[in-house]
Amino acid sequence: IDFAQIVDCAGNNCRKIVPVPTRNIVGCDDVRPAVRRFASDYLYSGRASQLCKEIEYVENGNFLLLLDEAVPPIFFQNSNNLVLIESEEAFQDCLENVKQVFDVQIRVNNFSYGILNMCHENRGIQEMLNAAYQAIGNPIMLVDASLFLMKHAGMETVRDEEQIAFTLTHGYLPEVYLNAIMAEEEKREWGEEGLIVWSESFFKQRMVVGRILKNGRLIGYLKVLEYNKPITRIEECYISILCKFFSISLDEFYGADPAGNPMVESFLLGLLARKISDPAVIQNRAERIKLELYDTKYVITAEFIEKYKNTDRLYLLKKQLKNHLNRSTVVVYEDHVVVLYDVKSAEMQIGRASCRERV
């Protein structure tokens, strides 16, 4: 919470002196004649007549005051934030609004703390989604950057939504939805404040879509269907928090590879898992993620013998192969490094010797 939110609670029927609107507020207290020191991260509210009259210096304070008498001049100096209200009724309304802001923040903090504990305990993405489903009260699904379904909670309860039924049956969102989403991604200038958007075109109910970013790149979406009850600002905060946690947790699927291309990798992983097999669907998705390959393609797989097998080695080998072969089409799948290697001519020989020379 910052002081700008306190100002918003007051509306227009007040006087505002706000030199530092971004100052964080972590708590509230009453103004009292005995109080001579004010914490810079607290909001002090009450009647102006209750301010200490003998105080000689105040700095970086935050005050919400009912003007039952003049405020001492010292409070208008030294970067103090003030909201001054003349009407008792308006003052009480403002206090109630401030209380609601703090109540929301407490709920959001508790939700964040719960998800943080689940991460600390390695509880897994499905358990996080289950907890989010309980907190948000609406069906929720996690899809990767190519719109393959990864996990969901509560979506099986949805009726009369053909797109949802298709997704649960086939394991990916329909092509018409993919095409529209990719077109939207291309034309919209996304920023950190644009992580949450509403989608109203493809489902009978509205859907909130949260974008999951890793190092500034899209790696997935969190989608919540407004099915059981309206989604409020609090639930939007929950979704935003989950997106940030999942940006870390999705290493489970992509690995800690900051140089990877999540859209290409999720597409290849979907192929390996046989989530799609229709050639037309595969071609459309490849075009949508701008995966351009030469006509001749080889699949190279590599694995470590048992005593050397571990996750760190797999991802190190993945990185080395990407660098040596100059390809983004390298993924880790079921303890194997898999390379889709394309060449201009079918004349290339993928024999043991040439592979050893390359790698």
Side-chain angles (χ1 to χ4, degrees):
I1 300 172
D2 58 24
F3 196 81
Q5 292 173 266
I6 306 301
V7 173
D8 291 341
C9 292
N12 297 320
N13 298 321
C14 63
R15 181 184 175 195
K16 305 163 188 175
I17 302 94
V18 189
V20 191
T22 57
R23 186 177 294 149
N24 288 331
I25 307 296
V26 300
C28 299
D29 202 353
D30 298 329
V31 294
R32 298 183 298 276
V35 177
R36 293 172 172 267
R37 295 183 179 181
F38 302 95
S40 62
D41 56 359
Y42 260 61
L43 174 69
Y44 295 88
S45 63
R47 297 176 178 273
S49 59
Q50 293 298 301
L51 291 169
C52 178
K53 304 299 189 294
E54 292 79 27
I55 195 167
E56 296 180 356
Y57 188 79
V58 183
E59 68 173 347
N60 299 323
N62 307 286
F63 301 95
L64 171 60
L65 301 172
L66 175 62
L67 286 177
D68 60 340
E69 66 175 48
V71 176
I74 191 66
F75 285 86
F76 294 94
Q77 304 171 23
N78 305 317
S79 299
N80 292 306
N81 290 326
L82 297 103
V83 173
L84 308 175
I85 302 176
E86 295 185 359
S87 161
E88 175 80 37
E89 181 180 359
F91 180 71
Q92 293 301 326
D93 287 344
C94 182
L95 285 180
E96 182 61 30
N97 292 337
V98 170
K99 178 180 180 296
Q100 291 179 13
V101 168
F102 274 93
D103 286 346
V104 167
Q105 191 60 50
I106 289 171
R107 291 174 62 184
V108 170
N109 288 349
N110 288 341
F111 179 80
S112 299
Y113 185 71
I115 297 296
L116 179 62
N117 275 342
M118 296 182 80
C119 287
H120 180 70
E121 296 169 1
N122 293 319
R123 300 276 288 277
I125 289 174
Q126 185 62 61
E127 289 195 57
M128 286 190 205
L129 281 180
N130 292 342
Y133 177 41
Q134 294 298 318
I136 295 171
N138 281 299
I140 185 169
M141 66 174 155
L142 178 67
V143 299
D144 66 18
S146 292
L147 300 186
F148 286 113
L149 179 65
M150 301 172 80
K151 302 284 184 181
H152 75 90
M155 284 292 172
E156 72 283 355
T157 67
V158 175
R159 302 289 180 267
D160 301 323
E161 284 282 5
E162 294 180 3
Q163 309 284 23
I164 297 297
F166 180 96
T167 303
L168 295 182
T169 300
H170 294 85
Y172 59 89
L173 283 156
E175 296 309 293
V176 62
Y177 188 82
L178 171 70
N179 294 340
I181 287 296
M182 296 304 297
E184 184 73 11
E185 286 284 340
E186 291 172 1
K187 71 181 181 181
R188 187 190 290 266
E189 292 184 4
W190 297 94
E192 193 67 25
E193 297 302 316
L195 292 177
I196 303 295
V197 296
W198 282 90
S199 174
E200 304 183 19
S201 303
F202 296 94
F203 303 94
K204 294 178 182 178
Q205 283 83 20
R206 298 195 307 168
M207 176 175 278
V208 175
V209 180
R211 301 171 77 249
I212 303 171
L213 303 178
K214 182 82 168 182
N215 299 317
R217 290 175 300 170
L218 178 71
I219 63 171
Y221 298 95
L222 192 65
K223 297 174 179 288
V224 180
L225 191 68
E226 194 177 51
Y227 186 72
N228 296 321
K229 67 185 187 70
I231 295 174
T232 67
R233 176 58 185 158
I234 293 178
E235 280 88 43
E236 287 189 19
C237 289
Y238 291 170
I239 295 166
S240 180
I241 289 166
L242 282 168
C243 286
K244 293 173 182 177
F245 275 107
F246 283 141
S247 73
I248 301 169
S249 300
L250 288 186
D251 282 349
E252 168 185 332
F253 290 87
Y254 296 116
D257 181 8
N261 185 327
M263 298 193 79
V264 170
E265 292 186 18
S266 65
F267 173 68
L268 294 179
L269 290 170
L271 290 177
L272 289 168
R274 300 176 184 266
K275 290 184 177 180
I276 52 175
S277 56
D278 186 329
V281 173
I282 293 171
Q283 182 64 31
N284 179 66
R285 293 201 165 217
E287 291 174 357
R288 275 295 172 185
I289 65 174
K290 295 182 171 58
L291 180 60
E292 298 178 356
L293 301 172
Y294 295 121
D295 290 338
T296 302
K297 306 170 188 69
Y298 298 92
V299 175
I300 305 169
T301 63
E303 65 176 319
F304 288 96
I305 62 175
E306 196 63 35
K307 71 175 182 177
Y308 294 118
K309 189 178 293 185
N310 65 47
T311 300
D312 290 341
R313 283 198 176 97
L314 278 171
Y315 283 99
L316 177 59
L317 178 59
K318 172 190 172 184
K319 181 178 180 180
Q320 290 173 333
L321 286 172
K322 286 176 66 174
N323 291 337
H324 282 293
L325 300 177
N326 193 27
R327 295 292 188 276
S328 64
T329 50
V330 184
V331 296
V332 173
Y333 179 73
E334 292 187 350
D335 293 331
H336 291 72
V337 178
V338 182
V339 183
L340 178 59
Y341 189 73
D342 60 314
V343 293
K344 290 183 179 180
S345 169
E347 296 175 359
M348 178 183 176
Q349 298 297 316
I350 303 294
R352 184 173 300 175
S354 67
C355 278
R356 186 181 300 118
E357 181 182 348
R358 273 280 185 180
V359 178

